[in-house]
Amino acid sequence: MTEPDVIDRDKVSLAVADQKLVGTVLRPEVPVPGFLFIHGWGGDQDEDLGHAEELARLGCVCFTFDLRGHAGSDAAKDQVTRQDGLDDVLAAYDYLAAQPLVDRNAIGVVGTSYGGYLAMLLTAQRPIRWLAMRVPALYPDEHWDTPKAKLDKAVVRAYRQQPHSSEADRALSACASFQGDVLIVESECDEQIPREAMLSMQAAFRQTNSLSHRIIPGASHAMRDPKHQRIYATLLTGWIEEMVRASRLTYR
């Protein structure tokens, strides 16, 4: 996966103790895949750094960041709306896509919970090739401009417990139009995202190139158990490696 067909070579010289060393820098001449990581509500980019480092070792450019109201980013958390979150994700995507080595036709998004929700919305506004989501969340479209922290939790919980079609939900509508590859990772003992929400999402992805669904036995929504975290890391890295390798074979 890390061996592109074309290598760009540059001769360089280094000065060391008044002496010259001659060397060669080898770098990919062709662009490489880029992956954007979107953490969950109340989390931060530290949750994604380990996964991003694994993908970087596989030859991908990765970008993690803190959503507004979280960790090092500005804004009061209780004032941040879903539109703010979507704007943050759009800005982060554009930053990643502008990196010199990133192939704009090979950008993936990895979202967790609320980050998965924002990732679904992102697919309707930017070209995404791969979409990986762990315990993705759903929210009713109503009160879009109400701060996320002030949404009625009982209303959100009830919404997730009912089946929904793509015609009646903004995030599911984006899923219905998505034509790339999808990975959904579900926690068996998820106390926040019920099975009905997962089924609605799976049903919405009608035009995907591929759809993979995995359930981590015994895992909770937050997935604090190191054993479950290792399982997820293996699933995510393995799926992305498979997707990227297949894409490179397509263009040989």
Side-chain angles (χ1 to χ4, degrees), residues 133-152:
M133 301 183 292
R134 184 179 75 80
V135 295
L138 279 182
Y139 297 87
D141 292 340
E142 292 78 11
H143 308 295
W144 174 257
D145 291 320
T146 297
K148 162 76 170 60
K150 297 179 181 179
L151 293 175
D152 190 318

Side-chain angles (χ1 to χ4, degrees), residues 115-206:
Y117 172 74
L118 293 175
M120 287 185 273
L121 295 173
L122 177 63
T123 65
Q125 299 194 41
R126 295 292 188 275
I128 303 294
R129 186 160 185 174
W130 302 292
L131 174 63
M133 301 183 292
R134 184 179 75 80
V135 295
L138 279 182
Y139 297 87
D141 292 340
E142 292 78 11
H143 308 295
W144 174 257
D145 291 320
T146 297
K148 162 76 170 60
K150 297 179 181 179
L151 293 175
D152 190 318
K153 291 182 175 58
V155 171
V156 173
R157 187 179 305 110
Y159 184 80
R160 292 173 179 171
Q161 292 171 341
Q162 299 297 319
H164 299 284
S165 68
S166 58
E167 292 76 20
D169 181 281
R170 182 174 176 179
L172 294 179
S173 177
C175 295
S177 299
F178 185 66
Q179 297 181 16
D181 297 283
V182 179
L183 171 67
I184 300 176
V185 179
E186 178 181 353
S187 288
E188 182 185 34
C189 301
D190 198 320
E191 68 282 7
Q192 294 191 37
I193 311 299
R195 189 80 179 118
E196 290 80 2
M198 289 292 180
L199 291 173
S200 292
M201 281 179 260
Q202 287 179 262
F205 285 112
R206 297 190 294 268

Side-chain angles (χ1 to χ4, degrees), residues 35-38 62-67 84-99 107-109 122 126:
F35 282 89
L36 174 66
F37 286 80
I38 311 172
C62 298
F63 183 46
T64 68
F65 71 104
D66 297 320
L67 290 163
D84 292 330
L86 182 55
D87 289 344
D88 293 348
V89 169
L90 288 165
Y93 175 97
D94 291 343
Y95 178 83
L96 174 64
Q99 298 307 299
I107 294 180
V109 180
L122 177 63
R126 295 292 188 275

